Amino acid sequence: MIKKTVIFLLIILVGIQFIPVKKTNPPVDEAVALHTDKKVMAILKRSCYDCHSNETKWSLYSDIAPLSFGVVSHVEDGRNALNFSRYKTISPEIKRARLKRAISTVKLGIMPLSSYLLFHKEARLSKEDKKILIAWFKKELEKLPADEK
């Protein structure tokens, strides 16, 4: 019985490798992409850009199902939430909400995702990184037009 179960699971694992996943990196239009100081950009590129930009560095494990399903889903969710490659096109209302959320997720250590950090230790945010990002998020919030509510 155990042997049949193992064989069945192996067949399933091999079979799901043939389910296509759509890994994309749409072109980056520098005119609408985020441009900020080098220190902030270095942190964002190291810790955020794989999921929050069109410049994802697709890791080898992103080709292996079932991991590939989760990776592609996380990247799509991250880009939909806040895409630094389209930063200047985000409406002030949405940008305000996303920046406030970014502050809380960085403060609470929710971002970067722990599942991402398992494979990308370099993406960990130090206390100083968090301080820099939170200050930058707040500065970006101040640039937005006053909330009309």
Side-chain angles (χ1 to χ4, degrees):
M1 182 66 171
I2 293 175
K3 186 177 179 182
K4 287 182 181 181
T5 303
V6 169
I7 291 171
F8 177 74
L9 288 175
L10 284 173
I11 291 170
I12 295 295
L13 281 173
V14 169
I16 64 174
Q17 301 310 310
F18 296 100
I19 299 172
V21 291
K22 192 173 182 181
K23 298 187 311 184
T24 63
N25 271 352
V28 176
D29 179 351
E30 291 299 325
V32 297
L34 174 68
H35 298 283
T36 192
D37 70 78
K38 289 181 183 181
K39 197 176 235 183
V40 171
M41 284 302 289
I43 298 168
L44 291 173
K45 288 203 177 225
R46 185 186 80 236
S47 300
C48 309
Y49 261 51
D50 273 351
C51 293
H52 292 283
S53 80
N54 294 345
E55 300 177 47
T56 304
K57 294 180 188 121
W58 296 100
S59 300
L60 192 57
Y61 62 84
S62 68
D63 289 323
I64 303 168
L67 292 174
S68 58
F69 307 140
V71 171
V72 169
S73 176
H74 285 167
V75 170
E76 288 173 357
D77 291 347
R79 288 176 180 169
N80 287 332
L82 179 60
N83 188 336
F84 293 114
S85 295
R86 301 183 310 106
Y87 191 72
K88 293 178 184 173
T89 67
I90 303 170
S91 74
E93 301 82 27
I94 292 174
K95 194 178 284 186
R96 179 178 292 102
R98 299 305 191 249
L99 289 168
K100 286 180 178 179
R101 184 170 181 205
I103 290 167
S104 64
T105 58
V106 168
K107 270 185 187 175
L108 295 170
I110 297 170
M111 287 289 164
L113 294 174
S114 56
S115 58
Y116 180 76
L117 292 173
L118 284 173
F119 297 101
H120 302 273
K121 304 263 187 252
E122 74 284 356
R124 289 195 191 284
L125 294 173
S126 68
K127 286 182 183 179
E128 183 64 18
D129 291 339
K130 289 179 182 183
K131 186 177 161 185
I132 290 167
L133 284 182
I134 290 167
W136 182 77
F137 293 143
K138 288 179 178 178
K139 187 173 157 188
E140 287 296 296
L141 278 170
E142 290 171 7
K143 292 179 186 177
L144 296 174
D147 195 356
E148 297 177 9
K149 290 182 182 177

